[in-house]
Amino acid sequence: MRKEINELNAAPVAREMKVLSVGLPRTGSYSICLALTALGYRNVYHGLHAIDSPEDFEVFGRAADALFPSLPSYNGNGMTAKDWDAVFGSCEAVTDLAGPFAESLIASYPDAKVIIVIRDYDKWHKSFVDMLSGIFGRVTMFIKNYLEPWTGDHSATNVQKMMLGWTRSNDLGDLVSRTRELYDRHNDGIQRLVPAEQLLVYKLGDGWEPLCEFLGRDIPEIPFPHGNEAAELRRTIINKQLRVFRAAAIKLGPYVIGAAVIGGAAWMGISA
C-alpha cells in the first residue's frame, strides 16, 4: 500500500475519505484513479497498490470473512470505518477494490461521494474473465497451495476468497457463470442504495465534464487519462510472482540442498 508518511512522527497521515469509486473491477478503475489524482485527491487507492502489500490483503481477507455469508469462514462480524482505516486511512479516494466491498464502505464513510462506472457488458465480461484467469491461474494456484505456507504472504488465498465470497460462487467455473447476475446486481444495487445527489453514474468515455461537475472541481487542461490497466496488472502480478518465488527459494533453499545431498549420496551408494 502507498502510505504517505508524516515526517514529524513517522505515522501514516490520516485523511477524510472523500470519494468511493465502486464500479465493478475492469470498468476503467485505473483511469478513474489517475483522473482523481489529477483532480487533486491525495493517495487514491487502487488494487494495483495492494499487490505488493500482503498486509492489505490480510485486511481484505478478514473483510471477506466478516461480510460474505457464502464463505465457509464467514463470521458475520462486519466492518467499521476503523477497520477499513487500516488500509484506507491515509486515502482521500478509493477505486477498484472498493467494488467488492461497496456496501460496507458506503456505510463506513457516509459522507463520501460515490461514483459507479458503467461499462458495456460484453466488453466488461471479456476483460473481467481475463482478470480471473490470472487470479485463479496455474501459477497463482501453485503459489497459493505450495509457497504461501512458507512465505507467509497469503495474498493469493485472500484475493480468491474475496472474489468467491463477493460473487457468492464456489469456484472459478461457478463465478464465470454468474457474471451477468453479478453485473446487474452490483450496478442496480448501488443505484438503489446511494441517494441520487450523492451518486454519479459515469459511463466510460464521458470525459471530464460530468466527473468534475459532480465533484465540484475545475476541468483540468489535460486529456482525460486512459490507463492501460490490463497491461499494468499483468506486469505487476508477474513481478509479484517472481518475488514470491525468490522469497520461497530463500526459505526453502536449505531444505532443497539437504534433500539433494541426501538423494545424491543415496544414488551414489554413499552412507550419509
Side-chain angles (χ1 to χ4, degrees):
M1 174 186 173
R2 301 182 311 166
K3 290 187 174 72
E4 295 186 18
I5 302 300
N6 183 320
E7 294 180 357
L8 295 178
N9 57 21
V13 177
R15 295 195 172 96
E16 177 188 0
M17 182 65 70
K18 296 180 179 179
V19 181
L20 299 170
S21 182
V22 298
L24 291 162
R26 307 314 289 269
T27 55
S29 59
Y30 190 42
S31 295
I32 294 294
C33 175
L34 297 175
L36 292 173
T37 300
L39 291 176
Y41 292 96
R42 291 173 292 181
N43 210 21
V44 181
Y45 194 98
H46 187 277
L48 290 170
H49 306 145
I51 290 175
D52 288 328
S53 297
E55 63 272 20
D56 288 9
F57 274 112
E58 289 295 328
V59 175
F60 299 141
R62 291 197 299 272
D65 290 336
L67 298 171
F68 300 143
S70 65
L71 290 174
S73 53
Y74 174 67
N75 56 42
N77 289 340
M79 293 285 286
T80 66
K82 182 178 179 181
D83 297 322
W84 286 120
D85 280 348
V87 176
F88 303 135
S90 66
C91 303
E92 290 188 333
V94 181
T95 69
D96 189 53
L97 286 176
F101 300 112
E103 291 186 22
S104 177
L105 289 170
I106 290 167
S108 296
Y109 302 111
D111 295 328
K113 292 189 174 183
V114 179
I115 300 167
I116 183 165
V117 181
I118 305 295
R119 186 180 183 186
D120 172 78
Y121 172 77
D122 291 329
K123 293 179 180 178
W124 169 79
H125 176 267
K126 181 180 184 303
S127 183
F128 185 64
V129 172
D130 285 346
M131 181 191 75
L132 294 176
S133 68
I135 292 175
F136 292 91
R138 286 180 295 177
V139 174
T140 304
M141 295 304 296
F142 179 84
I143 289 173
K144 173 188 172 184
N145 293 329
Y146 299 107
L147 300 187
E148 284 191 347
W150 291 92
T151 64
D153 178 347
H154 299 284
S155 298
T157 296
N158 284 316
V159 73
Q160 288 183 8
K161 177 167 62 173
M162 178 185 76
M163 294 302 294
L164 293 175
W166 171 49
T167 58
R168 308 172 188 176
S169 305
N170 297 314
D171 52 36
L172 175 59
D174 189 27
L175 197 166
V176 172
S177 73
R178 293 173 180 267
T179 51
R180 181 79 235 191
E181 172 195 336
L182 171 66
Y183 180 90
D184 292 335
R185 171 165 51 87
H186 183 81
N187 292 336
D188 294 344
I190 296 301
Q191 293 178 67
R192 287 195 301 268
L193 177 65
V194 181
E197 65 274 12
Q198 196 176 347
L199 175 68
L200 172 65
V201 179
Y202 183 89
K203 293 184 179 179
L204 282 182
D206 281 352
W208 284 117
E209 187 171 349
L211 184 64
C212 292
E213 181 180 354
F214 174 67
L215 297 174
R217 302 282 173 122
D218 293 333
I219 296 177
E221 295 182 358
I222 58 173
F224 192 90
H226 295 284
N228 189 341
E229 182 178 345
E232 187 68 16
L233 182 64
R234 281 194 297 271
R235 183 189 67 79
T236 306
I237 287 177
I238 289 171
N239 288 338
K240 170 63 180 285
Q241 289 172 341
L242 290 173
R243 286 193 294 274
V244 171
F245 277 107
R246 283 195 291 268
I250 291 171
K251 291 199 173 186
L252 290 171
Y255 300 97
V256 173
I257 293 171
V261 170
I262 293 171
W267 180 72
M268 295 174 64
I270 300 174
S271 176

